[in-house]
Amino acid sequence: MTPTTVLTIAGSDSGAGAGIQADLKVFAALGAYGTSVITAITAQNTRGVDAVLPLPPGTVTDQLDSVLTDFTVSAVKTGMLGSPAVADAVAEAARAGRLPHLVVDPVLVATSGHTLGVVEAVERLLPYAEVATPNRAEAAALTGHPVTTVEEMVAAARALAAGGPAWVVVTGGDVDADGEAVDVLYGGGATTLLRGPRVDTRHQHGTGCSFSAAIAVRLAAGDPVPVAVAAAKEYVARALTGARDWELGAGHGPLDHFGWSG
């Protein structure tokens, strides 16, 4: 049986915990065939980002054309865009209807604190998103308002949805919510709080990438957005739990994407 094809448009992570490498792991783990368009090359590991080399917009467009003229892509996710010019190239494909079930993960800052994207680039793509998945810091950068509480997460989700995305998930795994990891889902005029136990682990690098990639896989399979988001949250929780006792790298380690730890 032919697997569903999903596309990731993102940066390369040499430590393989986030970005293109994490996305492809999630696609494979959840039974989809992964294709990729690389927007930038980074030199990074679990301790941080040492260098970033954005690729020219024309190279990004060439990759997009190669994939989209040969594969039937059922869903797409974006991560690190690198520059407004690259965002324009991706937005042009979205505007032409070539990027179905588009999930936009507005990667702006790495776990290490290194700046990986610019707000202007993300803003150019948001109007074409079916789902946007900012974390609290990204939501604050995009709205220009603090996002430190669940109430502020709700306000940020509504504000971002007004800018184009059909659905917005503001993730808040690090918000103080009585030991729970609370995400806010807003769409169709309704707000849902997604709650789950917080996993205490240093292996959390690529959490946002993995979450958005899992949403894309579920959308490609035909799930409605609320079902896809809930399934992705459960998947990431399992991946965090599986890697909790790992000793990979000296910093923020990767997730257990394949359930190796049971």
Side-chain angles (χ1 to χ4, degrees), residues 11-157:
S12 171
D13 173 2
S14 55
I20 288 284
Q21 288 84 346
D23 293 342
L24 292 175
K25 290 175 188 178
V26 173
F27 296 164
L30 297 180
Y33 180 79
T35 56
S36 63
V37 168
I38 297 175
T39 60
I41 298 170
T42 70
Q44 66 174 294
N45 53 31
T46 65
R47 292 174 295 183
V49 180
D50 297 313
V52 177
L53 175 66
L55 294 184
T59 302
V60 173
T61 298
D62 288 344
Q63 293 176 81
L64 272 172
D65 288 341
S66 289
V67 172
L68 296 176
T69 57
D70 191 41
F71 294 89
T72 301
V73 172
S74 297
V76 181
K77 70 141 291 189
T78 65
M80 175 188 177
L81 297 171
S83 71
V86 167
D88 283 340
V90 178
E92 182 177 349
R95 192 162 44 244
R98 304 177 74 194
L99 306 182
H101 293 303
L102 179 60
V103 181
V104 174
D105 178 16
V107 176
L108 296 174
V109 180
T111 306
S112 63
H114 194 288
T115 300
L116 293 178
V118 293
V119 169
E120 183 183 358
V122 173
E123 288 176 337
R124 296 186 184 192
L125 203 54
L126 285 178
Y128 306 101
E130 181 172 357
V131 187
T133 63
N135 60 29
R136 290 192 302 114
E138 291 158 350
L142 290 166
T143 62
H145 298 287
V147 182
T148 58
T149 67
V150 173
E151 292 73 21
E152 290 172 344
M153 291 167 64
V154 172

Side-chain angles (χ1 to χ4, degrees), residues 156-257:
R158 291 176 175 171
L160 290 172
W167 297 82
V168 176
V169 189
V170 178
T171 58
D174 56 347
V175 74
D176 185 7
D178 299 323
E180 289 185 311
V182 180
D183 302 328
V184 171
L185 172 65
Y186 179 79
T191 301
T192 304
L193 300 185
L194 304 173
R195 301 180 180 273
R198 181 182 296 146
V199 181
D200 183 17
T201 176
R202 72 175 179 87
H203 282 272
Q204 55 191 253
H205 182 49
T207 305
C209 302
S210 301
F211 179 63
S212 55
I215 293 174
V217 172
R218 296 313 313 163
L219 292 178
D223 285 351
V225 171
V227 174
V229 170
K233 183 175 176 67
E234 291 178 3
Y235 170 76
V236 170
R238 292 195 303 272
L240 284 165
T241 301
R244 184 165 46 191
D245 298 322
W246 284 6
E247 293 295 335
L248 280 177
H252 297 283
L255 311 186
D256 180 6
H257 291 106

